[in-house]
Amino acid sequence: MPTHTALTSADLREIRQSALGAADPLGIAAELADAVDAGRLTDENDAGFALMLAAEIAESRTKLDAALRYVERAVNTYATRDDSEVGAARALRARILFRSGREDEAMAELEPLRPLLTRYPDAAAYLGAALAVGGRNQVAEEWLTEAVRVALAERAASTEQSAEPVSAEDAGLLFFLLQQRHRIRHAIGRPHDAHDNLAERLESKLARAGASAAAESADDLLFWPHAEFDSMVVQWPALSQSYGGTWDQHRARLERELVRLAGTGRTGLTLLPGSVAGLIGYAGRDGEPADPKTRASYARQLAAGSRQINWPPERNEPCWCGSGSKYKKCCLPRSRG
Ligand SMILES: [Zn+2]
Ligand SMILES: [Zn+2]
């Protein structure tokens, strides 16, 4: 990364993409804070983002004191900006406090953020991640239940028709809340209720829509190589629902999907290796990177390019995922997991 030169918004996105895999991530975090201090950001509105980034880098290396210093500066920087950004920064602070064993302070930080759950997807994702890191599944279930109730009531008040959303897209943030709640309730062994049933109906509609989109564009198989996957889930925590919570889960999903497609008689199957920078660049022209439509059309663009990975490799060839292992010892067995 450039040193002692101005950092543009594009530089910051590039750093976000590459920092976790860099040789000296803590040096990069310090450099980011230094750039804020020295006024070396091309757009001074990026200061909060740069400090959040520094905090998450330090957190990922369990330098929790440094992470707290950075995130507190981010909170102060955002204090005069909108609720969504300062909410995300406060939720990140709570997450780092949980990791530091300061649980009461973490909960005190999160409590006032509850109303953000029904308003801002980014803040809601940070909030959910903080409660998960803190092992607060019961609290998360309670808050999400209340947020779903509020979101449904607001929906009913604003539409003439049925309050129940007809698709995941139509449901928007409500779908995200329903899904999170559904997953947590399974994790803590609660029986299905009406909201869980709604979550599953919307999830299966989304899956069917995805399956028909895949059938149309023969190759809609977006693959995140390991380093890309890691920075993707840091940047958009909610996308772990689309691509898997870990890289192993991501590879297993793709392998199973490819096996399934091959079973329907499809040939010439390929994986489409995506990148965070590529998706951001694509969305720059077309919209929000985390939006399912943006990702689907990004995948179609990749399918039209020349960098697809053919599937399946021979059993003794290197695996398609880039791990360096033989296919028969890597992703081939994942389809049976
Ligand atoms: Zn269920
Ligand atoms: Zn593999």
Side-chain angles (χ1 to χ4, degrees):
M1 72 176 272
T3 308
H4 304 307
T5 56
L7 292 176
T8 64
S9 302
D11 290 335
L12 292 175
R13 291 196 297 269
E14 154 74 25
I15 290 166
R16 170 146 228 169
Q17 186 217 338
S18 58
L20 294 181
D24 179 22
L26 292 170
I28 293 174
E31 169 69 16
L32 284 164
D34 189 53
V36 173
D37 290 336
R40 280 190 287 106
L41 297 178
T42 307
D43 180 352
E44 63 180 23
N45 290 323
D46 284 338
F49 176 58
L51 291 163
M52 288 276 281
L53 189 48
E56 289 189 77
I57 292 168
E59 180 197 24
S60 76
R61 290 297 180 274
T62 58
K63 299 293 182 202
L64 298 176
D65 290 343
L68 276 174
R69 280 197 302 277
Y70 294 138
V71 79
E72 275 155 19
R73 292 191 54 197
V75 168
N76 292 332
T77 303
Y78 279 140
T80 54
R81 302 270 303 276
D82 75 60
D83 287 350
S84 171
E85 287 175 326
V86 74
R90 286 191 182 282
L92 174 59
R93 178 169 186 271
R95 187 172 91 193
I96 299 166
L97 286 169
F98 272 129
R99 289 197 205 281
S100 311
R102 294 162 63 178
E103 308 202 343
D104 293 348
E105 287 167 84
M107 286 307 297
E109 184 80 280
L110 290 176
E111 280 282 356
L113 302 180
R114 280 182 68 170
L116 304 188
L117 278 175
T118 53
R119 303 223 295 273
Y120 305 114
D122 282 355
Y126 273 101
L127 207 80
L131 289 171
V133 163
R136 294 297 205 276
N137 279 338
Q138 310 276 354
V139 174
E141 197 272 340
E142 194 183 307
W143 290 12
L144 286 164
T145 296
E146 173 65 11
V148 163
R149 195 189 63 71
V150 169
L152 280 168
E154 280 174 2
R155 215 188 137 76
S158 69
T159 54
E160 307 265 311
Q161 316 131 356
S162 153
E164 183 159 308
V166 295
S167 69
E169 263 167 29
D170 172 37
L173 177 56
L174 172 61
F175 178 58
F176 172 78
L177 297 170
L178 282 166
Q179 262 193 318
Q180 296 254 319
R181 178 179 180 276
H182 179 212
R183 206 170 43 174
I184 285 169
R185 283 170 62 83
H186 272 288
I188 61 181
R190 297 282 170 84
H192 255 226
D193 65 5
H195 292 163
D196 291 317
N197 293 337
L198 174 58
E200 281 196 349
R201 281 201 302 282
L202 293 173
E203 279 166 17
S204 68
K205 275 182 191 167
L206 188 66
R208 279 201 300 278
S212 61
E216 279 165 31
S217 79
D219 307 279
D220 202 2
L221 287 160
L222 199 50
F223 162 56
W224 300 93
H226 200 169
E228 297 294 339
F229 182 88
D230 288 349
S231 43
M232 189 254 312
V233 293
V234 168
Q235 178 134 356
W236 303 294
L239 288 192
S240 59
Q241 290 178 348
S242 303
Y243 299 111
T246 65
W247 194 55
D248 284 351
Q249 287 169 12
H250 175 52
R251 291 185 290 174
R253 278 184 191 206
L254 283 171
E255 181 70 22
R256 278 198 294 271
E257 176 62 6
L258 287 157
V259 168
R260 188 187 72 74
L261 289 170
T264 68
R266 287 260 303 275
T267 54
L269 288 163
T270 61
L271 292 132
L272 308 168
S275 70
V276 170
L279 177 59
I280 288 171
Y282 184 80
R285 299 192 299 274
D286 258 52
E288 171 58 37
D291 187 298
K293 279 186 196 158
T294 308
R295 287 181 280 122
S297 59
Y298 175 56
R300 283 194 290 278
Q301 185 202 47
L302 293 173
S306 59
R307 301 193 41 213
Q308 293 104 306
I309 300 167
N310 293 327
W311 184 94
E314 295 294 329
R315 291 171 54 83
N316 284 312
E317 278 180 358
C319 191
W320 57 261
C321 74
S323 65
S325 303
K326 290 179 178 178
Y327 178 49
K328 69 178 180 189
K329 298 214 160 160
C330 188
C331 289
L332 177 63
R334 290 183 209 283
S335 66
R336 301 167 200 141

